[in-house]
């Protein structure tokens, strides 16, 4: 079974940084991608970033220029210059194929991790 677990959330002051980590197991596709998504209170879930098994990356407008996605065993999302609007539950997900930012490309999701940005 595919399992993912996001961690690293917490309280951070506006302008600060946070690094989220996604650990995983059971991924068996030849080509696959990990996506980071978030859901803010009262809002729809939105994409943040993607990294493929080939190392390609893609960023959504939500945190473009303020985030970096990379892998060192776990899949990491480093966010900087955080704003109160970035407060959300952040999720990692995995799916087959190359990078994409549509949530329906990802059949497996981990439990989210809460990031709260204080003003």
């Amino acid at each position: 079974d595919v399992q993912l677990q996001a961690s690293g959330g917490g309280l951070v002051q506006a302008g600060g940084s946070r690094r989220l980590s996604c650990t995983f197991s059971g991924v068996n596709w030849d080509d696959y991608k990990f996506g980071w998504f978030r859901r803010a209170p009262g809002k729809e879930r939105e994409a943040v970033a993607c990294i493929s098994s080939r190392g390609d990356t893609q960023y959504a407008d939500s945190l473009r220029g303020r985030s970096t996605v990379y892998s060192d065993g776990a899949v990491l999302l480093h966010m900087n210059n955080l704003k109160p609007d970035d407060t959300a539950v952040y999720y990692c997900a995995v799916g087959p194929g190359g990078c994409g930012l549509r949530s329906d490309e990802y059949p497996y999701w981990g439990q989210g991790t809460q990031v709260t940005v204080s003003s």
Side-chain angles (χ1 to χ4, degrees), residues 6 20-22 34-37 47-49 69 75-77 90-92:
L20 306 181
S21 176
C22 178
F34 288 94
W36 283 99
F37 294 79
V48 175
V69 60
V75 179
L76 304 170
L77 178 69
Y90 285 74
Y91 299 89
C92 62

Side-chain angles (χ1 to χ4, degrees), residues 6 10 20 35-49 60 62-63 77 79 83-93 101-104 106 109-117:
L20 306 181
W36 283 99
F37 294 79
R38 69 183 186 182
R39 176 172 282 160
K43 295 185 179 180
E44 297 291 320
R45 183 172 56 194
E46 62 177 353
V48 175
S62 56
L63 274 168
L77 178 69
M79 306 179 290
K83 305 174 183 179
D85 284 349
D86 296 319
T87 294
V89 178
Y90 285 74
Y91 299 89
C92 62
L101 296 175
R102 298 196 327 265
S103 59
D104 62 4
Y106 296 85
W109 294 75
Q111 291 185 327
T113 186
Q114 174 73 46
V115 175
T116 301
V117 184

Side-chain angles (χ1 to χ4, degrees), residues 1-4 24-34 53 94-96 108:
D1 290 351
V2 176
Q3 295 186 338
L4 305 102
F24 59 93
S25 62
V27 177
N28 290 315
W29 297 299
D30 290 336
D31 292 309
Y32 52 90
K33 57 185 176 279
F34 288 94
S53 55
V94 66
Y108 297 100

